Amino acid sequence: MALAKKPVTGMKDILPEEMQIRDYVIGIIKETYRNFGFTPIETPCMENIANLSSKQGGENEKLIFKVLKRGEKLKLEAAETEAELVDMGLRYDLTLPLARFYSNNANNLPSPFKALQIGSVWRADRPQRGRYRQFTQCDIDILGEPSNLAEIELILATTETLGRIGFEKFEIRINERRVLKAMAAYSGFAEESNDEVFIILDKMDKIGLDGVAEELRKNGFEKEAIDRYLALFQRVEGEADGVKAVSVLADTLGEYLEDSVRISLQEIIECVEQTKTADFKMVFDPTLVRGMGYYTGTIFEIAIPEFGGSCGGGGRYDKMIGNFTGNNVPACGFSIGFERIILLLLEKGFQIPGSPRKTAYLVEKNYPAEKLCDVLKQAQEARKCGRQILVARMNKNKKFQKEKLTAEGYTEFLEFFNR
């Protein structure tokens, strides 16, 4: 009986054309990040379910692919709760595994430690454009650096990478979790309602100021607090200078915001703008929230006009490692939205620069072995010169075969007949 050819829901097969672009982009990412001193590491695709469910992953903890216990440990008939059935889960990002990795290996690592990770992650999410249930993340993190040098280096490395891939005129949106909390306190929201307020604020780019106001009202918040809150965003709306926008908001918040937070944000924006190599702009965005529960300070996102949404992000998470060890370690990371970057490149018809000339040697099916060796030697010599050579048997429908190879980038064909 033939097997059903059903696809894996929300996941995808990757065809050769896309795979070549993915390999090229990963090569650029690795080379650029290594130039900034980041060191490659690898963590397992599965983590202990207790680590994944530690209330640090925000909404992503609802999207975990959970793994049943195995062998004698799995007692389906006697189990009364899910906890009795599940002990592992597929990782939903690379940050939590990194924190566990660092907690176990800190004594063997330099300080600060600059980590580079590229790997698959899984979320039981609703698939949509540029979002899949299995996808690749490319993360860089700096552990053990308490100053904003970490943020500056992460932004410079990430933006230089995007520039080398060919992106320009994009934005790095930046905010601070302590700014969000200060704005909520200034407006009169109770501290225990911060999460609820921020979840609504995170919809600003979709529903606008009026939509945020309406949702806050529906959730029972006082009109006075809502009006005071929205007025803060209107104060900085349209301010193109990020440093000035931070000052305007900080002056309004007064004692609700520590001056050190203002200074740090302005230093990050100024340093990046003065030393960047890519064509992008730093934008202070007080509506930026980032959904992960582990962020404690600076947060940032990549906004690329062609996509119309976030193409990566990150921030500071100084308390995550302390949840494993009892001692907090300064930590900050940035993740490129790899799948969305690849999607944009494919839609633009991206061609890998400097690709070798691709030639197909098509050999007649009844070509004798002694002559075939001469063809293979000829192909080997051409490969030594940097050319990409495909040796294949000639199909009966040669025209269709050439059309397929042309679609794969082959521009030259040599045919070998037994005559």
Side-chain angles (χ1 to χ4, degrees):
M1 184 178 69
L3 293 174
K5 296 187 289 185
K6 293 182 179 179
V8 181
T9 306
M11 303 179 189
K12 68 169 189 172
D13 297 319
I14 301 174
L15 297 176
E17 178 188 3
E18 178 178 343
M19 199 67 219
Q20 290 178 38
I21 293 176
R22 293 170 78 94
D23 286 344
Y24 168 77
V25 171
I26 285 176
I28 294 292
I29 289 171
K30 287 182 175 180
E31 180 183 4
T32 308
Y33 285 162
R34 282 171 175 159
N35 289 344
F36 277 80
F38 289 92
T39 304
I41 66 163
E42 188 169 335
T43 56
C45 64
M46 289 195 292
E47 288 284 334
N48 187 293
I49 195 65
N51 293 343
L52 294 174
S53 307
S54 58
K55 303 192 184 304
Q56 298 184 90
E59 292 295 305
N60 289 327
E61 293 192 8
K62 300 176 183 177
L63 307 175
I64 299 170
F65 281 102
K66 297 176 181 177
V67 179
L68 292 175
K69 295 178 180 178
R70 279 84 44 213
E72 294 180 356
K73 292 182 179 180
L74 180 61
K75 296 179 172 58
L76 287 172
E77 299 79 8
E80 296 182 358
T81 65
E82 183 183 89
E84 296 177 77
L85 296 173
V86 173
D87 62 352
M88 304 284 282
L90 293 173
R91 61 191 182 193
Y92 53 73
D93 74 0
L94 297 177
T95 306
L96 189 136
L98 171 65
R100 194 257 319 139
F101 168 93
Y102 185 83
S103 301
N104 291 337
N105 299 286
N107 290 338
N108 299 317
L109 300 171
S111 184
F113 177 55
K114 303 177 77 171
L116 161 60
Q117 293 185 90
I118 300 177
S120 293
V121 299
W122 293 262
R123 296 178 192 171
D125 205 350
R126 180 173 63 86
Q128 51 188 289
R129 180 171 178 260
R131 177 178 291 179
Y132 310 99
R133 289 179 172 172
Q134 176 182 334
F135 56 98
T136 297
Q137 278 195 339
C138 299
D139 285 18
I140 46 173
D141 295 80
I142 302 178
L143 310 178
E145 175 53 71
S147 79
N148 59 17
L149 175 61
E151 283 90 336
I152 294 167
E153 281 275 277
L154 289 167
I155 294 171
L156 287 175
T158 301
T159 54
E160 182 168 322
T161 299
L162 290 173
R164 288 189 61 192
I165 295 170
F167 290 97
E168 56 186 18
K169 310 276 184 214
F170 58 93
E171 293 179 347
I172 298 297
R173 300 162 61 211
I174 188 168
N175 197 11
E176 234 273 8
R177 294 290 288 191
R178 288 173 291 181
V179 169
L180 289 168
K181 292 177 181 178
M183 293 174 71
Y186 168 88
S187 303
F189 295 115
E191 186 176 352
E192 57 268 23
S193 68
N194 276 356
D195 287 345
E196 187 179 1
V197 172
F198 297 161
I199 288 171
I200 295 171
L201 176 62
D202 200 28
K203 302 175 184 178
M204 177 76 81
D205 60 338
K206 296 182 179 67
I207 63 177
L209 271 175
D210 292 341
V212 168
E214 181 61 25
E215 286 218 19
L216 289 170
R217 280 193 291 270
K218 287 180 178 177
N219 282 267
F221 293 105
E222 297 292 331
K223 182 179 185 303
E224 182 180 354
I226 296 171
D227 291 344
R228 192 172 170 87
Y229 192 49
L230 298 186
L232 290 170
F233 301 106
Q234 292 169 329
R235 288 291 304 273
V236 298
E237 189 176 9
E239 177 56 68
D241 187 325
V243 172
K244 186 176 179 182
V246 173
S247 285
V248 169
L249 184 58
D251 290 345
T252 306
L253 293 175
E255 63 182 11
Y256 287 94
L257 182 67
E258 296 176 23
D259 201 43
S260 61
V261 177
R262 174 191 64 80
I263 292 170
S264 180
L265 268 176
Q266 291 179 322
E267 285 179 350
I268 294 169
I269 294 170
E270 286 180 330
C271 285
V272 171
E273 286 284 8
Q274 291 179 26
T275 58
K276 65 184 183 182
T277 58
D279 181 10
F280 72 97
K281 183 172 179 58
M282 293 290 296
V283 177
F284 171 60
D285 183 358
T287 71
L288 180 62
V289 175
R290 300 290 297 164
M292 304 302 261
Y294 49 66
Y295 289 124
T296 59
T298 319
I299 49 178
F300 27 74
E301 280 189 352
I302 305 165
I304 297 179
E306 301 99 296
F307 187 75
S310 170
C311 287
R316 183 167 282 277
Y317 53 99
D318 287 347
K319 295 183 179 180
M320 180 182 284
I321 294 170
N323 290 329
F324 288 99
T325 65
N327 297 312
N328 288 335
V329 174
C332 196
F334 207 152
S335 178
I336 285 180
F338 183 78
E339 302 295 346
R340 295 177 179 184
I341 294 298
I342 297 299
L343 174 67
L344 290 174
L345 292 176
L346 289 169
E347 289 179 347
K348 292 195 299 184
F350 177 77
Q351 297 293 320
I352 297 174
S355 297
R357 191 171 67 190
K358 299 174 74 171
T359 302
Y361 289 9
L362 302 181
V363 183
E364 193 176 29
K365 287 197 173 180
N366 62 352
Y367 208 68
E370 60 272 15
K371 287 187 176 182
L372 179 61
C373 288
D374 292 334
V375 174
L376 293 173
K377 287 179 181 178
Q378 183 178 333
Q380 292 286 62
E381 290 301 316
R383 289 168 184 147
K384 288 179 183 178
C385 298
R387 292 171 60 189
Q388 186 170 329
I389 307 295
L390 169 73
V391 180
R393 290 292 185 181
M394 196 179 295
N395 289 350
K396 187 174 182 180
N397 189 342
K398 188 171 60 174
K399 181 175 180 293
F400 180 74
Q401 183 181 19
K402 285 185 176 182
E403 287 174 355
K404 286 290 187 182
L405 290 171
T406 300
E408 292 181 24
Y410 286 89
T411 57
E412 185 179 20
F413 299 91
L414 295 181
E415 299 176 3
F416 298 86
F417 297 96
N418 182 29
R419 293 173 184 166

